[in-house]
Amino acid sequence: MKHDERIAPVPGDYNLKDYEEAYRTFSWEEAEKVFSWSETGKVNMAYECIDRHCEGPRKNKVALYYSDPSGRDEKYTFYELKRLSNKFGNVLRKFGVKKGDRVFVFLPRSPELYVSVLGTIKIGAIVGPLFEAFMEGAVRDRLADSEAVALVTNPQLLPRVPIKELPALKHIILVGAGDALPQGDGVGFYDYHKEMAAASEELEIEWVDREDGLILHYTSGSTGKPKGVLHVHNAMIQHYWTAKWVLDLKDDDIYWCTADPGWVTGTSYGIFGPWLNGATCVVRGGRFNPDDWYATIEKYGVTVWYSAPTAFRMLMAAGDDVVKKYNLSTLRHILSVGEPLNPEVVRWGLKVFGKRIHDTWWMTETGAMLIVNFPCMDIKPGSMGKPFPGIQAAIIDDNGNELPPYRMGHLAIRVGWPSMMRKIWNNDAKYREYFRIPGWYVSGDSAYRDEDGYFWFQGRVDDVINTSGERVGPFEVESCLVEHPAVAEAGVIGKPDPVRGEIIKAFVALRAGYEPSEELKQDIIRFVKERLAAHAAPREIEFRDKLPKTRSGKIMRRVLKAWELGLPTGDLSTMED
Ligand code: 6R9
């Protein structure tokens, strides 16, 4: 497997000029010196994101543009966010919420969500963001496991909070409650706007240790309940440097991260990374819709855009004519995370935006980007890129031996980087599993490295298919499938087979204008045989209107597999509707 396709960088004044040089000389000990707290040890993420900028020329710079399809259209400067988050911190303190307590935010993307997150962090409490689409079971699991004491939500979402089953929950702050505050159940209900109006703008920030808790992100495994991944304030070192070098944020950028804060991307790179760098962020409420998204880029003159393969694939499927209706000429830097970025999508991006899409690889557990494509380096379409300076990535076998180029194995990282998770809430055994090979963090992803040091994702380790003795990563097959003109999306699994061990089965969603047929199946199979390899071509294809996906856009192969085998699907709380 040789990868010859390369897309050279466009020369430019990037924050990171020379990757190889940086990789040789970088150290986290030096990198943390940009923060004065590296001497005192006392710190607060929300201060570094917001208040610090109010002591300099960014005080009246726009920190947040917010709009949504309902017609809200607002902007907030760093100074305004400082005052609002101070107020919110005071609201929580009035209720007795203190350092280390868990405060959950269950709201649609809105300014109130961002203010609540920042205010919670300012008083040293640990914030837990939830997707607004969560239903009762998902809300209960997370609030119960973390013993959250306070919740910010709205009257529409409140019925999904099973208060009686959450004895630790004492305070519920409702955004838009008006005069009709509920009562009872041993919980205090409050109106967000009234409390905010009455609260002081002056707040004593809680200065915490760098290892104190910051945020709790629940993420689903393939089995069992979701895991509460805890991050600490120290993560800011890596948020800051990755946002500076990978997102390449500069003072005049307009940056749009499309992720919801219910997903780690929406906090690490929708809040912390960009605001540590003093960048102007765009937040667009409402659901995905191609016209709406392009109009958002045009409206704000977005320059740096961080999104996900699933969104790019949906934009691609919507057709190039939609792109042409909008002026997207401000875009200068595009990035992707969450799933493998198909080469076809990278080529499409070049065609319609005239820009490369830069893939980045990381996980909820890693807290920040680890393997990336920098604007200053060649992109090999289909590759996740190279390790960020200060990160040692490797492909290892079950015993921890490093494997040579092109050998598929565990994608692992040498332990010790600033934004590493510090625990799995109430589950030490789960935490230790990631470190079962001494010296390494084992990601659960399967990948190989090429001779130039680029990493190539193959699938989750559990998803790798073994067909007639050949190991096949589902991603390569899926990427080939979406190159077929009729295919919008594809999910590939191994289906048990008495002769071959497993056979490759593909679930395919067709593009608009194509109808399922036996002929089309055969055509798609032939297409993969000719382009990839005979052994990697699906033996079975099933057409589906939609593929099961998480709210962050990941195709849930384990659900496809469970359907196929008629087995229980496990935890589905993070699945899209
Ligand atoms: C940030 C985030 C982590 C898992 C990860 C991997 C997949 C993420 C990817 C990618 C291929 C990329 N993943 N980025 N796979 N290429 N660039 O996504 O966190 O939701 O915890 O998911 O997502 O399988 O292990 P999280």
Side-chain angles (χ1 to χ4, degrees):
M1 233 164 311
K2 264 288 195 190
H3 301 288
D4 295 330
E5 189 180 357
R6 280 172 179 263
I7 308 174
V10 183
D13 187 21
Y14 302 118
N15 288 342
L16 182 74
K17 310 239 169 355
D18 183 339
Y19 167 74
E20 304 296 336
E21 161 79 17
Y23 196 83
R24 270 198 311 278
T25 56
F26 184 90
S27 84
W28 291 116
E29 289 69 38
E30 281 302 308
E32 73 179 44
K33 291 187 182 156
V34 292
F35 296 106
S36 57
W37 58 261
S38 67
E39 286 151 37
T40 64
K42 290 291 181 184
V43 66
N44 189 296
M45 174 70 99
Y47 170 84
E48 297 293 337
C49 284
I50 304 295
D51 299 31
R52 183 170 56 93
H53 303 303
C54 298
E55 293 158 17
R58 293 191 184 117
K59 178 177 176 187
N60 296 316
K61 179 178 171 176
V62 174
L64 172 65
Y65 283 110
Y66 175 81
S67 64
D68 65 33
S70 82
R72 272 185 87 170
D73 193 343
E74 297 162 15
K75 63 180 182 207
Y76 298 84
T77 62
F78 281 99
Y79 186 53
E80 286 166 326
L81 283 187
K82 172 181 169 175
R83 284 162 40 208
L84 289 167
S85 54
N86 278 357
K87 276 172 170 283
F88 191 78
N90 281 322
V91 171
L92 289 178
R93 272 212 182 125
K94 189 177 98 181
F95 304 148
V97 178
K98 54 183 195 314
K99 183 180 163 193
D101 285 346
R102 275 77 62 208
V103 175
F104 273 66
V105 184
F106 182 33
L107 284 176
R109 281 191 305 288
S110 58
E112 294 74 26
L113 186 165
Y114 291 82
V115 167
S116 303
V117 168
L118 292 168
T120 301
I121 294 171
K122 273 193 172 171
I123 65 158
I126 298 171
V127 69
L130 298 176
F131 284 108
E132 75 170 297
F134 277 154
M135 302 310 281
E136 181 168 324
V139 175
R140 184 197 42 238
D141 286 349
R142 288 155 177 82
L143 267 63
D145 182 60
S146 62
E147 295 175 279
V149 300
L151 174 70
V152 194
T153 185
N154 67 25
Q156 293 73 40
L157 297 173
L158 185 62
R160 301 194 212 147
V161 184
I163 298 169
K164 287 195 181 72
E165 297 171 53
L166 301 168
L169 185 62
K170 291 285 174 266
H171 318 283
I172 298 186
I173 304 164
L174 291 168
V175 177
D179 292 327
L181 276 178
Q183 302 223 312
D185 287 335
V187 170
F189 289 94
Y190 315 92
D191 175 60
Y192 175 91
H193 293 290
K194 278 197 196 127
E195 295 295 330
M196 287 290 278
S200 162
E201 280 179 18
E202 305 295 329
L203 175 88
E204 282 280 335
I205 288 186
E206 182 83 37
W207 298 106
V208 300
D209 290 330
R210 49 204 280 183
E211 289 296 319
D212 278 331
L214 169 75
I215 192 165
L216 194 52
H217 270 292
Y218 278 83
T219 177
S220 284
S222 45
T223 52
K225 297 248 184 220
K227 305 169 275 198
V229 173
L230 181 74
H231 288 291
V232 299
H233 287 251
N234 191 63
M236 72 173 66
I237 304 168
Q238 199 166 341
H239 291 151
Y240 174 83
W241 283 101
T242 50
K244 190 179 198 67
W245 282 356
V246 187
L247 300 177
D248 193 46
L249 292 173
K250 314 234 175 42
D251 240 327
D252 53 359
D253 276 313
I254 306 288
Y255 166 70
W256 185 26
C257 171
T258 60
D260 189 282
W263 181 29
V264 68
T265 305
T267 58
S268 291
Y269 297 102
I271 298 179
F272 306 135
W275 279 340
L276 287 167
N277 281 276
T280 297
C281 292
V282 169
V283 172
R284 175 74 181 165
R287 292 183 72 100
F288 172 85
N289 157 308
D291 275 289
D292 190 87
W293 274 35
Y294 291 136
T296 299
I297 295 173
E298 183 179 89
K299 172 180 164 87
Y300 294 106
V302 170
T303 57
V304 179
W305 183 29
Y306 196 17
S307 197
T310 182
F312 292 124
R313 284 194 299 261
M314 286 195 277
L315 292 173
M316 194 166 98
D320 299 355
D321 290 344
V322 195
V323 189
K324 294 192 189 112
K325 293 197 293 193
Y326 299 91
N327 178 357
L328 308 180
S329 62
T330 52
L331 279 176
R332 70 166 184 87
H333 187 32
I334 310 177
L335 305 101
S336 172
V337 64
E339 264 208 309
L341 182 65
N342 320 85
E344 179 70 5
V345 177
V346 177
R347 286 177 215 125
W348 169 80
L350 266 185
K351 186 178 74 177
V352 300
F353 306 125
K355 296 285 174 309
R356 314 189 305 175
I357 304 179
H358 299 71
D359 195 11
T360 63
W361 176 87
W362 55 292
M363 307 171 67
T364 305
E365 294 88 333
T366 73
M369 299 169 182
L370 294 184
I371 296 179
V372 299
N373 287 280
F374 291 95
C376 68
M377 76 187 211
D378 280 6
I379 285 180
K380 296 195 188 189
S383 158
M384 308 188 283
K386 296 189 179 189
F388 192 84
I391 300 298
Q392 265 179 278
I395 305 297
I396 60 175
D397 66 14
D398 291 336
N399 302 315
N401 303 309
E402 290 197 41
L403 296 173
Y406 297 104
R407 283 275 304 283
M408 203 195 294
H410 298 282
L411 173 54
I413 311 292
R414 272 266 173 238
V415 292
W417 63 90
S419 66
M420 177 64 208
M421 66 172 166
R422 294 304 196 265
K423 71 168 168 181
I424 305 271
W425 205 264
N426 288 332
N427 199 339
D428 291 339
K430 197 53 140 198
Y431 185 79
R432 281 194 301 271
E433 263 177 40
Y434 291 89
F435 306 98
R436 63 185 179 275
I437 301 180
W440 296 100
Y441 164 84
V442 183
S443 67
D445 284 354
S446 151
Y448 61 79
R449 182 164 40 182
D450 70 16
E451 70 279 19
D452 299 321
Y454 285 78
F455 284 80
W456 300 77
F457 179 86
Q458 297 301 297
R460 294 290 295 165
V461 168
D462 301 342
D463 293 337
V464 171
I465 301 162
N466 197 326
T467 178
S468 306
E470 301 261 12
R471 298 228 296 156
V472 178
F475 167 57
E476 231 169 6
V477 185
E478 290 162 8
S479 267
C480 187
L481 284 164
V482 299
E483 287 178 21
H484 188 284
V487 177
E489 293 210 281
V492 163
I493 60 161
K495 173 179 173 177
D497 180 84
V499 180
R500 296 186 168 80
E502 286 180 305
I503 58 158
I504 297 174
K505 167 150 188 181
F507 293 82
V508 165
L510 293 175
R511 288 195 186 211
Y514 288 90
E515 290 299 322
S517 72
E518 191 50 39
E519 213 185 323
L520 182 55
K521 270 188 197 172
Q522 293 311 321
D523 190 62
I524 293 172
I525 292 171
R526 209 173 320 120
F527 182 87
V528 180
K529 272 191 186 152
E530 283 165 10
R531 298 200 166 209
L532 200 57
H535 76 267
R539 290 197 169 254
E540 272 182 36
I541 290 185
E542 185 172 324
F543 293 116
R544 290 256 171 182
D545 291 344
K546 273 166 113 186
L547 299 179
K549 279 192 220 157
T550 65
R551 299 189 186 284
S552 60
K554 289 186 222 306
I555 295 170
M556 298 175 90
R557 297 186 191 82
R558 67 178 169 89
V559 172
L560 292 173
K561 193 140 183 173
W563 283 349
E564 184 62 38
L565 303 179
L567 293 173
T569 42
D571 176 50
L572 292 183
S573 60
T574 53
M575 189 156 109
E576 254 180 4
D577 313 318

